[in-house]
């Protein structure tokens, strides 16, 4: 269900040409988006969508193929087949993609924090008349401290 329309279910249609078009638009958007964090989100969405539509990774979608056509006379897949495919897609495709995306975003945040700390340490060392660039021992200690978990 969508948050904006809680009473309306969103069907999982891995064989739908309309849904394939949405994936194509997502890919095109991902190619031109600016900013590493936004790009990461788009790429993770694209990876999850591709994995959820791949019958080699998700054989549970194969029985849905006969119901995948769009159009006026298309029939809906039985609920038990759709629910099984959704559960498998969530477990195999979506959750891992979200976890990888979260880890990469956290790494980006950590990288920014470490860079900020490194410049502050440089300022403090210069104020004390030291330089981590000139004194290899000081520089090594600083890098070790900044990269601790």
């Amino acid at each position: 269900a969508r948050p904006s329309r809680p009473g309306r279910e969103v069907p999982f249609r891995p064989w739908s040409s309309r849904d394939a078009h949405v994936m194509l638009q997502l890919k095109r958007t991902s190619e031109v988006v600016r900013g590493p964090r936004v790009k990461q989100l788009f790429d993770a969405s694209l990876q999850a969508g591709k994995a959820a539509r791949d019958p080699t990774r998700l054989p549970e979608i194969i029985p849905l193929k006969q119901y995948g056509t769009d159009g006026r006379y298309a029939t809906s897949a039985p609920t038990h087949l759709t629910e099984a495919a959704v559960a498998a897609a969530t477990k195999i495709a979506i959750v891992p993609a979200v976890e990888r995306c979260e880890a990469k975003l956290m790494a980006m945040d950590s990288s920014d924090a470490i860079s900020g700390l490194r410049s502050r340490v440089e300022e403090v060392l210069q104020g004390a008349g030291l330089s981590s660039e000139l004194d290899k021992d000081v520089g090594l200690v600083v890098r070790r401290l900044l990269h601790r978990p």
Side-chain angles (χ1 to χ4, degrees):
R2 293 184 221 175
S4 62
R5 297 175 79 181
R8 184 171 179 200
E9 289 297 315
V10 178
F12 177 56
R13 305 174 307 183
W15 302 102
S16 163
S17 60
R18 289 179 186 173
D19 292 356
H21 181 71
V22 170
M23 292 295 297
L24 177 62
Q25 295 302 319
L26 184 60
K27 180 179 179 184
R28 288 182 179 162
T29 304
S30 176
E31 291 169 353
V32 297
V33 73
R34 295 184 188 262
R37 286 171 175 76
V38 176
K39 173 114 174 87
Q40 182 58 48
L41 289 170
F42 273 98
D43 288 346
S45 301
L46 188 59
Q47 290 169 3
K50 283 181 177 180
R53 297 171 57 86
D54 182 358
T56 58
R57 291 189 61 194
L58 202 66
E60 292 84 356
I61 68 170
I62 295 171
L64 299 176
K65 189 169 187 172
Q66 63 184 324
Y67 305 101
T69 59
D70 296 321
R72 180 180 300 177
Y73 303 107
T75 56
S76 296
T79 306
H80 71 280
L81 290 178
T82 304
E83 287 175 353
V86 167
T90 301
K91 180 180 177 185
I92 295 169
I94 297 168
V95 170
V98 169
E99 289 172 348
R100 283 191 305 272
C101 181
E102 285 177 333
K104 288 179 181 180
L105 290 172
M106 287 174 62
M108 286 179 188
D109 290 342
S110 296
S111 175
D112 293 345
I114 289 172
S115 296
L117 284 172
R118 184 177 292 134
S119 22
R120 283 190 225 140
V121 167
E122 279 293 327
E123 291 172 13
V124 169
L125 290 174
Q126 287 175 357
L130 300 170
S131 172
S132 63
E133 296 300 321
L134 297 175
D135 189 340
K136 298 298 179 193
D137 292 333
V138 172
L140 183 62
V141 169
V142 168
R143 283 190 296 279
R144 283 186 182 160
L145 288 173
L146 289 173
H147 289 279
R148 285 176 55 187

